[in-house]
Amino acid sequence: MDFGIVVALIMIAAGVFRLVLTRTGKVPVVFGYQRYVPFVFMGVGALLLIIALVD
């Protein structure tokens, strides 16, 4: 498996995991830019996955 694909899948999984923890209340929701960190991880992971699959 290509290293870029593995990194992209780990980033997507980390974003989903953080989002689930935040939504269930196990991790407190903080104010400011940290609220959008899971979405950034999922977006960057998806972009890296697309780049890894195309390249």
Side-chain angles (χ1 to χ4, degrees):
M1 208 177 203
D2 190 22
F3 183 71
I5 295 174
V6 173
V7 170
L9 292 176
I10 289 173
M11 287 189 71
I12 293 171
V16 170
F17 184 65
R18 171 74 184 204
L19 190 63
V20 167
L21 288 179
T22 305
R23 298 291 169 133
T24 58
K26 296 186 190 299
V27 174
V29 177
V30 291
F31 297 103
Y33 70 92
Q34 292 183 0
R35 164 180 279 171
Y36 303 107
V37 169
F39 299 111
V40 171
F41 265 65
M42 288 187 289
V44 170
L47 182 66
L48 286 176
L49 185 64
I50 291 169
I51 291 171
L53 290 176
V54 171
D55 188 29

